């Protein structure tokens, strides 16, 4: 009897161990099968399905606000003018309040704007609550001197005063700083940037108060064409600067996080608008004149707008250029709060149109 009981206990233990092993084996092999099933049943939404799902996002009914401007920063207005936002079911409204666009985007009073990388980058790195979502176009600013000044290179401007009309730390200053840095001149110690309004820059150059100005090509166009001004460095024509976009689209980060599909299709509409501008410059320029976004002679404005490269900038192009600019800003000392380019890129570069690649 004792032997029988012992045998029964041993058999029970063996069965229990076998059952445990079988259970463990089942658990081990079932998890990957479950994952495979999930992966197999996961479905990528079509555009129509995304547009339908977008209707449930919190900002969909209210829509979004964008800054309207002309020339190189006009793509959001053009997207609205062409009906691209409406085509995606988006309600876009021009933001007309008096705040600066950076303050408005940072506080989510407005959600979308296009402006110079040279204006957008440092605030974004310093925690103003917006991110760069795509590149816009190439060109639009140059360093200008009087044609009869005798200045032939940036080397000739060492020790001179250079106007940054929109202020220290903004686009003309940062673009000018990179011009000098590219030519081996320290922009913080070997030249002096000052703020002189564009309307006063030519008289200031004639009096010797300043030697040069970094300003928009559109502002200088007539004076360049009639021989009064010449450019020494340019993001429009110099090959070492035409491998990067001048302007980018920026979008409030909270808006992106809470409305990812809206962010995607706003960006897609703006990308389409940039391509359309390049293929229809005269039409779009006239439309901007009619709207009051541009002023001046149509032929002159079209000639200038044609020098910008529209619809040629994709995500890879923008990311590569943006990283180079970030590294330059850190090295030169234009960006002082962060020293790690990778961390800056994580903070500022949030592309929202994942299909925007040309190759």
């Amino acid at each position: 009897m004792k032997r029988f009981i012992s045998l029964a206990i041993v058999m029970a233990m063996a069965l229990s161990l076998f059952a445990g092993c079988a259970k463990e084996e089942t658990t081990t092999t079932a998890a990957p099968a479950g994952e495979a099933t999930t992966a197999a049943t996961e479905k990528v939404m079509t555009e129509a399905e995304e547009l339908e799902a977008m209707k449930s996002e919190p900002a969909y009914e209210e829509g979004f606000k964008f800054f309207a401007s002309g020339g190189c920063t006009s793509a959001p207005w053009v997207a609205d003018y062409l009906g691209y936002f409406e085509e995606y079911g988006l309600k876009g409204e021009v933001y007309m309040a008096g705040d600066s666009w950076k303050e408005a985007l940072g506080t989510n009073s407005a959600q979308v704007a296009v402006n110079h990388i040279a204006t957008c980058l440092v605030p974004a790195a310093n925690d103003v609550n917006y991110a760069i979502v795509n590149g816009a176009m190439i060109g639009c600013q140059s360093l200008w001197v009087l044609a009869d000044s005798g200045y032939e290179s940036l080397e000739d401007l060492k020790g001179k005063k250079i106007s940054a009309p929109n202020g220290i730390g903004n686009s003309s200053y940062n673009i000018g700083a990179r011009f000098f840095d590219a030519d081996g001149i320290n922009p913080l110690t070997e030249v002096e940037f000052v703020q002189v309004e564009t309307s006063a820059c030519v008289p200031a150059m004639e009096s010797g108060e300043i030697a040069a100005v970094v300003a928009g090509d559109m502002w200088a166009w007539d004076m360049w064409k009639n021989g009064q001004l010449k450019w020494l460095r340019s993001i429009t024509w110099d090959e070492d600067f035409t491998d990067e976009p001048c302007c980018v689209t920026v979008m409030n980060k909270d808006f992106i996080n809470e409305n990812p599909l809206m962010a995607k299709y706003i960006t897609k509409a703006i990308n389409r608008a940039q391509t359309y501008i390049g293929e229809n410059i005269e039409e779009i320029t006239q439309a901007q004149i009619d709207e009051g976004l541009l002023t001046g002679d149509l032929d002159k404005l079209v000639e200038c707008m044609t020098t910008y490269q529209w619809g040629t900038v994709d995500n890879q192009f923008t990311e590569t250029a943006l990283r180079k600019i970030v590294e330059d800003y850190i090295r030169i000392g234009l960006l002082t709060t962060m020293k790690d380019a990778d961390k800056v890129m994580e903070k500022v570069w949030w592309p929202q149109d994942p299909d925007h690649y040309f190759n």
Side-chain angles (χ1 to χ4, degrees):
M1 176 63 73
K2 288 182 180 178
R3 283 199 299 271
F4 175 80
I5 292 171
S6 298
L7 180 60
I9 292 172
V10 170
M11 289 179 67
M13 291 176 63
L15 287 169
S16 174
L17 181 61
F18 176 80
C21 291
K23 182 178 180 182
E24 181 178 353
E25 182 178 353
T26 301
T27 302
T28 303
T29 56
E35 291 170 4
T37 301
T38 301
T41 57
E42 187 175 329
K43 183 185 176 193
V44 176
M45 287 192 290
T46 65
E47 180 175 296
E49 289 169 333
E50 285 187 331
L51 294 178
E52 184 62 30
M54 185 173 69
K55 295 177 182 178
S56 65
E57 292 185 338
Y60 181 78
E61 289 299 327
E62 182 178 353
F64 69 98
K65 296 181 177 68
F66 65 93
F67 277 82
S69 53
C72 59
T73 60
S74 62
W77 180 85
V78 174
D80 189 53
Y81 164 78
L82 295 172
Y84 290 162
F85 293 145
E86 185 178 3
E87 182 181 322
Y88 293 132
L90 296 162
K91 303 171 188 174
E93 178 185 345
V94 174
Y95 184 78
M96 299 297 290
D99 295 342
S100 78
W101 67 265
K102 286 180 283 188
E103 292 169 348
L105 260 70
T107 60
N108 208 16
S109 300
Q111 288 72 47
V112 182
V114 171
N115 214 293
H116 299 280
I117 289 177
T119 300
C120 302
L121 177 55
V122 174
N126 289 339
D127 295 322
V128 176
N129 196 32
Y130 62 73
I132 296 168
V133 300
N134 73 340
M137 37 68 69
I138 299 168
C140 84
Q141 287 211 29
S142 305
L143 184 145
W144 302 93
V145 298
L146 294 173
D148 60 0
S149 64
Y151 300 130
E152 300 298 334
S153 70
L154 298 200
E155 187 73 22
D156 297 333
L157 297 177
K158 279 186 175 181
K160 306 295 184 182
K161 291 182 178 180
I162 314 298
S163 174
N166 56 8
I168 305 304
N170 280 314
S171 61
S172 53
Y173 173 79
N174 291 336
I175 290 169
R178 291 186 71 228
F179 284 155
F180 283 98
D181 177 69
D183 288 1
I185 300 165
N186 189 319
L188 306 186
T189 61
E190 295 188 271
V191 293
E192 181 183 354
F193 279 95
V194 297
Q195 184 176 8
V196 177
E197 295 295 327
T198 49
S199 60
C201 280
V202 171
M205 286 190 284
E206 291 173 338
S207 70
E209 179 185 347
I210 60 173
V213 55
V214 181
D217 302 337
M218 201 167 280
W219 166 79
W221 198 263
D222 286 341
M223 292 179 284
W224 175 45
K225 289 297 184 177
N226 69 22
Q228 187 177 9
L229 297 181
K230 65 181 179 182
W231 60 269
L232 299 184
R233 281 306 238 131
S234 177
I235 61 174
T236 307
W237 295 289
D238 277 331
E239 290 185 1
D240 56 341
F241 285 96
T242 55
D243 61 351
E244 59 190 47
C246 167
C247 295
V248 288
T249 304
V250 289
M251 195 176 293
N252 177 269
K253 285 184 174 180
D254 291 338
F255 179 81
I256 294 171
N257 286 328
E258 294 167 8
N259 306 276
L261 290 172
M262 288 184 71
K264 175 179 178 177
Y265 282 95
I266 291 168
T267 307
K268 287 177 75 70
I270 291 172
N271 283 332
R272 289 175 60 192
Q274 288 158 1
T275 299
Y276 189 93
I277 294 170
E279 296 171 350
N280 302 273
I281 288 177
E282 184 169 347
E283 174 202 338
I284 293 301
T285 304
Q286 182 63 64
Q288 291 180 37
I289 293 172
D290 295 342
E291 186 69 13
L293 299 175
L294 288 175
T295 58
D297 177 71
L298 174 63
D299 291 340
K300 179 201 86 169
L301 293 171
V302 168
E303 187 179 17
C304 184
M305 288 273 282
T306 302
T307 65
Y308 308 153
Q309 297 182 47
W310 301 93
T312 62
V313 174
D314 68 1
N315 287 350
Q316 185 58 61
F317 184 92
T318 302
E319 181 176 349
T320 300
L322 187 59
R323 176 173 289 279
K324 179 179 182 296
I325 294 168
V326 166
E327 291 170 351
D328 285 351
Y329 276 27
I330 292 171
R331 178 176 48 78
I332 296 169
L334 301 178
L335 177 57
T336 58
T337 56
M338 297 184 70
K339 299 299 184 183
D340 187 325
D342 289 336
K343 290 182 179 178
V344 175
M345 289 294 290
E346 288 175 9
K347 183 177 283 191
V348 306
W349 175 232
W350 292 21
Q352 294 301 306
D353 182 358
D355 301 322
H356 191 54
Y357 290 92
F358 295 149
N359 295 318

